[in-house]
Amino acid sequence: MIMQAIQQWQKYSWLSYIDGAFVNFIAEQEPNATDSLLWASALVSQQLSLGEVYVDLAKLSQNVEAVLGITCADEAQSADSSLAKIKSYTLTDWQTGLANTLVVGTGEGNSPLVLTGSRLYLRRYWQCQQTVDQGIQQRLLPCRDSLPAPLKEQITQLFSAQLQQPDWQKIACVLALRARFSIITGGPGTGKTTTLTKLLAILVQLLQGEAKEQHRLNILLAAPTGKAAARVSESINKAISALEVADAIKALMPTKATTLHRLLGTQAMTRQFKHHRNNPFVADIVIVDEASMIDLEMMAALLDALPETATLILLGDKDQLASVEAGAVLGDLCQGAVEVAYDANTQAWLKTYAKEDVAVGKVLTANQALNQQTVILKHSYRFGEHSGIGQLATVVNAGDFEKAQAILESPHFADLHPKLASTKQTAKNTSSAASADGLLKALVCANWGETNAGIPEACQGYGYYRALIKKRPKDNTPTAINTWAKQVLKAFDTFQVLCALRKGQWGVEGLNERIEHWLVTDKKAQMWYEGRPIMITSNDYSLDLMNGDIGLALIDHTEQLRVVFIANEKDHADGLHWVSPLRLPHVETAYAMTVHKSQGSEFNHVAMVLPDVASRVLTRELIYTGITRAKENFSLIEPSAGVFSLAIKASCVG
């Protein structure tokens, strides 16, 4: 009977066929399984599709729809008696149904399910959670009770131009010197990279002074994706060049980031990595940028392979979307950090070495030790008080949909693009998908003008990079063509269409098809044409290309159509990587990409296209992340009125 109900849920898309298969497995292992055990098995599997590594039975007993992310017609709910039955279960009912069975354990063992308090895990994710918890806890213990006097002077010098009170960048730096684990989080433009480079300069001096044997420090810089690694490499190089420290110190600081997969050593046809507890990689300091994109399994693998004496520093925006895979690690680690719950020892440390008195919020019990090593950078140097993007991101993050709508409709924010398909115009033209389509077409096909200096007046749309393609130099030498290709790649990066979904008219597939039709009027039946933007969808280590890398199809100096990517100049001549299209089987057109795929990237102008109906993936975290990908201009395309406000009301389930 219960299997018939699960099949019905699959028809409603409340459960997947993988969820159903897992229930069958549990039923085979436990012939006397109760209904509540089988339903719990289905729901803990279902939570993975929502990015959760466990099902919280306490929350489930209070609000089934919210926990499961169910959106369905009223008649479907009323006709489904099994939903009513699940709603009737109390926490005690769930716990009783999961007791006295070999398929549910409470700790170490071989059971496929693990119950701890009200949380039910799949064993693999429970084990990952233990690895993360233990790996972080052992690094939270202070490894220093004082700092050398010369280091205090260096801290004062590096942070002499104090612009904010208190100076959270200095506080983040000083706290990170106390233990072997720290988190620096903050929104876009809050100075995470600047803080990191100053911290590294101080850590280099500190560790060299503490080393019993002289050796060159091994500092590793990593990010979850190839795109994020390329961006952090670029930003940290700029920050290091501007840093006022000795060249000998700069020489020890990392200038090139790698992906976490490459750091750990991916092995073909397996989920295991080359580096692990019994074969750790060599490092004194490991920095991971864009940490909001790290899922639980990857964080467990990183901590498992991290040497016991190594310092781990995580950077990222805790309010951004979590990883596509299960486990919102950074968000979970930063719970309570906004309260600034620093204890007396932490306050004394900050007073001594940062010369800062920090107003402390309420004392928390959860994440208390972790909060001592977590700092939120609060001031944005990118978005000032007159920035519509900055204000919009703030109110969206707070869940204030009324203020968000008011900001969109305000005529006072120049960065909420007022001329073409602006958010203000869009908000007044959301009655039909046709008007939204027209606004999008006008935006992406916009022509661009030049000033006397040859700089575009407005880089909206894809007209800018397409116009530069037509300005191919007559000089067909590799140097001239590479210079031109860099200009085209940079021009393409000024504008990007983002969306929430992959499927449908307003998803990646539908949008890319329409945009390509609008722009490439002379395109024939072939897949490849000059100017086609593509995204790599699978890591290819043989080609040195990572999932998320963006390239453009251009005619090279041999007059062959190839795909060109920005690359590190140490590995590729002129900082470009040219690849034959025939060697790229795992790609997709990239005029439009999901907000998830855009993480780790920034664009001058972002046009975010919402779906025409509410979706469980359309949350305020997604909207916030999309908005903060924009550096200078932001446009919203809303095919159906009200979807934007509904998304802001919705937060990720958890």
Side-chain angles (χ1 to χ4, degrees), residues 62-76:
Q62 296 167 2
N63 193 331
V64 171
E65 287 92 347
V67 172
L68 303 185
I70 289 177
T71 55
C72 55
D74 291 339
E75 58 269 20

Side-chain angles (χ1 to χ4, degrees), residues 391-413:
Q391 292 198 31
L392 184 61
T394 299
V395 298
V396 166
N397 198 22
D400 193 333
F401 63 92
E402 292 180 342
K403 283 187 179 179
Q405 195 66 50
I407 290 172
L408 287 176
E409 295 175 358
S410 171
H412 303 301
F413 299 113

Side-chain angles (χ1 to χ4, degrees), residues 246-261:
D247 290 341
I249 294 176
K250 290 184 179 181
L252 294 174
M253 298 170 70
T255 57
K256 182 182 178 182
T258 186
T259 63
L260 287 173
H261 285 87

